Amino acid sequence: MAIRRKSTKSPPILSHEFILQNHADIVSCVAMVFLLGLMFEVTAKVAIIFVTLQYNVTLPATEEQATESASFYYYGIKDLATVFFYMLVAIIIHAIIQEYVLDKINRRMHFSKTKHSKFNESGQLSAFYLFSCIWGTFILVSENYISDPTILWRAYPPNLMTFQVKFFYILQLAYWFHAFPELYFQKTKKEDIPRQLVYIGLYLFHIVGAYLLKFSLWAVLFVLGRLLTLILSVLTVGFGLARAENQKLDFSTGNFNVLGVRIAVLASICITQAFMMWKFINFQLRRWREHSTFQAPAVKKKPTVTKGRSRKGTENGVNGTVTSNGADSPRNRKEKSS
């Protein structure tokens, strides 16, 4: 008798299930196409736009500065290609962290589906925030923003950026743009999508604004927190740039130091920080209420026993049942007959 084996069919290529199961491998292949393009002369000119930073300017050495020439960068439309490539890299790193770190912790902790998705989201953001804080602190120290904060408005508009500053912005944009396809790859619930779109959009709005308007102050967002951000924003945008001599809108030189732009920047910073604090306070209040409800002891109600019912139950036996010593006993019959 022949044994019929079950056929294990793999999902068809480019189907919904196939993309979800193998999205990291697909993205890795696309990224490898750009890297392999660097090896051939015909495609190297196109591939280099995606892989390396564009708009490089080399300034000759001066007597006051170092003896070697320095390389600086400015922004342009080709940066979108670079952001796209590093968005693919962010998707690959996201999958690596998910598979080799977060999934192993989830198997040990046995989280529910709701806690599982929350843990994955928090774990990915924690890794990114830690990386951004370390790198942002290094930039603040190496660029002398901490030792001399007046550079934030004295050197405005900073037409050129160093390699690490521009690369920092490119990776920030790439990470938050990669969050959009991750909503599909991670099978995010429909009720969670609007919440995630809100904070993804806020981060992109402020990072793109910082990159285009050349306000280096926005790099402090990942390092010093909400309160210090508000203080430095008011000092830099409200007082420092307001006293600068050049206050004319000039797109060619990248000067956006005008009253309307300053008000818009300060308003966006204040609204964003207030929104984050409002969400944080609401979360803490809800958590405190749940904790207090859980800790409150349950009051047990004592059963009320009436005299009439207990007497009746005593006469008739246990729980009102009639026993041989109850109503049917010979003594009670004699009393009834008399």
Side-chain angles (χ1 to χ4, degrees), residues 299-317:
V299 179
K300 295 182 179 180
K301 294 183 178 180
K302 295 182 179 180
T304 56
V305 181
T306 57
K307 294 182 179 179
R309 187 175 181 179
S310 61
R311 184 177 180 183
K312 183 178 180 181
T314 306
E315 291 178 354
N316 294 335

Side-chain angles (χ1 to χ4, degrees), residues 78-140:
K78 294 181 181 179
D79 292 337
L80 295 177
T82 312
V83 170
F84 174 76
F85 174 77
Y86 286 100
M87 182 188 72
L88 300 179
V89 176
I91 294 175
I92 298 172
I93 296 176
H94 186 113
I96 293 173
I97 296 175
Q98 184 66 43
E99 182 176 357
Y100 293 99
V101 179
L102 299 180
D103 286 347
K104 291 184 177 180
I105 298 176
N106 282 323
R107 294 190 193 99
R108 293 182 179 180
M109 301 302 295
H110 303 287
F111 289 132
S112 61
K113 292 183 178 180
T114 304
K115 291 184 178 180
H116 180 84
S117 60
K118 294 289 185 182
F119 176 77
N120 290 337
E121 180 184 356
S122 301
Q124 295 288 347
L125 290 176
S126 299
F128 171 70
Y129 289 153
L130 179 62
F131 168 77
S132 299
C133 287
I134 295 174
W135 193 6
T137 305
F138 178 78
I139 292 176
L140 292 176

Side-chain angles (χ1 to χ4, degrees), residues 8-29:
T8 57
K9 295 182 179 180
S10 60
I13 298 176
L14 297 181
S15 65
H16 175 71
E17 293 81 7
F18 181 83
I19 294 175
L20 290 178
Q21 294 175 5
N22 305 280
H23 70 275
D25 297 331
I26 297 173
V27 173
S28 301
C29 293

